[in-house]
Amino acid sequence: MDEKRTDFKYSCVRERIYANEESFLSPFAMKSKATRGRKVQEKPCDFRTDFQRDRDRIIYSNSFKRLKNKTQVFFAPEGDHYITRLTHTFDVSQIARSIARTLALNEDLAEAIALGHDLGHTPFGHVGERVLAKLSSQGFEHNLQSLRVVDVIEKNGKGLNLTWEVRNGIVHHKSSGTPATKEGEAVSLADRIAYINHDIEDAIRAGVLKETDLPERAVNILGKKTKERINTAIADIYEHSFGKNQVAMSSTVMDATNELRSFMFEKVYELANKSIQERAERMLTQLYEYFTKHIEKLPKPYYQLLEKDSAERVVCDYLSGMTDKYAISVFENVFIPTTFSLGGVEN
């Protein structure tokens, strides 16, 4: 190997990224070099900033892989183009990066938060979340569970040891949250923009809605098509946030967005939830009761968590981490009798 190559200081790659951020990013952006760091200190990566490293850890996590088989709105739809929790996550990531780019914020941080924001979501969408919240005396919120996934559950109980800024953005991504960074604020808005628009597409695809059913005032402000509404939202955020210590929409666009959101709750979400509410609730309730009574039946990685947490908490960890199909499979294995045969010849 060339001696010059062996003497090359790879850390200059990371340092160059730091320098680029200092010269390009907004004063209100979170610079990678200024991170508050991790709970457990680690040697920096030569090629990547800490936020880039967090993004990669999330992408390669088991919880992220399972998102492809978790319901977004419609359970087990027939068709290849319906949104899953994974494709929703990619949508949020893309929109968050677009917002960050226009405002000269840290795209890597925004992307890492977006990719991790729903890791703790339950099977069967928000129905599953409501069921676990009802069953557990400790309550259940998917954003708090997402933080628990990256802190405690992943890597057989070791967690991903993410940076403070990514963890803060994950737990505060809901509209009621208060992210500590502008990138976290961008993800919170991106989440809302993404799910309203792709859920409209799914509802139209499923025959639940027609495009003409959408509230006229909101459509006139935001646009008739998905790409128009997303572009309107991002442009509006830019116009009302660039050069300011905020990531926000104008009152006009925010009101129209909230009107569209309320419309979706009334016409789509409640209908979709009702279609699986009873069966999902029965299934998750019985699984919850079974595993809290037979805690030794938990898979080893979850059973080991009992050294740190209560059985109630760990059973919620296990159930919330299931995909839709896996939850059904476990339910069938536990509660559905199997056929019995002696292997003899019938008379």
Side-chain angles (χ1 to χ4, degrees), residues 123-295:
F124 313 118
H126 285 283
V127 170
E129 181 175 15
R130 290 206 295 259
V131 172
L132 291 186
K134 179 180 176 182
L135 289 171
S136 174
S137 64
Q138 300 176 36
F140 185 92
E141 295 181 59
H142 78 270
N143 59 315
L144 298 178
Q145 187 65 20
S146 294
L147 183 64
R148 182 169 167 79
V149 166
V150 300
D151 278 357
V152 178
I153 298 173
E154 273 294 333
K155 296 185 70 174
N156 294 320
K158 296 178 182 178
L160 300 180
N161 194 31
L162 302 183
T163 57
W164 184 90
E165 292 79 11
V166 173
R167 295 173 59 252
N168 174 270
I170 287 173
V171 79
H172 285 284
H173 78 267
K174 293 167 64 173
S175 58
S176 58
T178 54
T181 65
K182 301 302 111 180
E183 291 80 5
E185 292 178 12
V187 171
S188 182
L189 282 176
D191 185 33
R192 207 173 322 170
I193 294 166
Y195 74 69
I196 291 172
N197 284 289
H198 62 51
D199 292 350
I200 288 173
E201 287 192 341
D202 271 3
I204 292 173
R205 186 177 290 116
V208 175
L209 285 181
K210 298 189 296 294
E211 197 173 273
T212 53
D213 293 332
L214 299 176
E216 185 176 358
R217 176 184 171 277
V219 167
N220 288 339
I221 293 171
L222 300 175
K224 293 183 178 180
K225 302 293 183 181
T226 295
K227 65 179 183 180
E228 295 173 357
R229 292 190 290 267
I230 293 175
N231 284 339
T232 297
I234 294 174
D236 185 74
I237 291 170
Y238 171 77
E239 291 173 7
H240 289 82
S241 306
F242 186 74
K244 301 176 184 178
N245 190 18
Q246 66 177 28
V247 181
M249 293 178 180
S250 66
S251 58
T252 300
V253 171
M254 178 59 80
D255 289 346
T257 300
N258 288 336
E259 183 180 356
L260 210 52
R261 182 176 181 272
S262 297
F263 170 83
M264 290 296 291
F265 268 95
E266 180 183 351
K267 300 296 183 181
V268 177
Y269 298 142
E270 290 306 316
L271 174 65
N273 289 343
K274 285 179 182 178
S275 69
I276 60 171
Q277 176 73 43
E278 183 179 348
R279 285 169 289 178
E281 183 167 5
R282 185 187 306 118
M283 188 183 308
L284 290 175
T285 298
Q286 291 187 39
L287 286 173
Y288 180 86
E289 292 173 350
Y290 174 81
F291 283 107
T292 51
K293 291 177 182 177
H294 302 87
I295 200 71

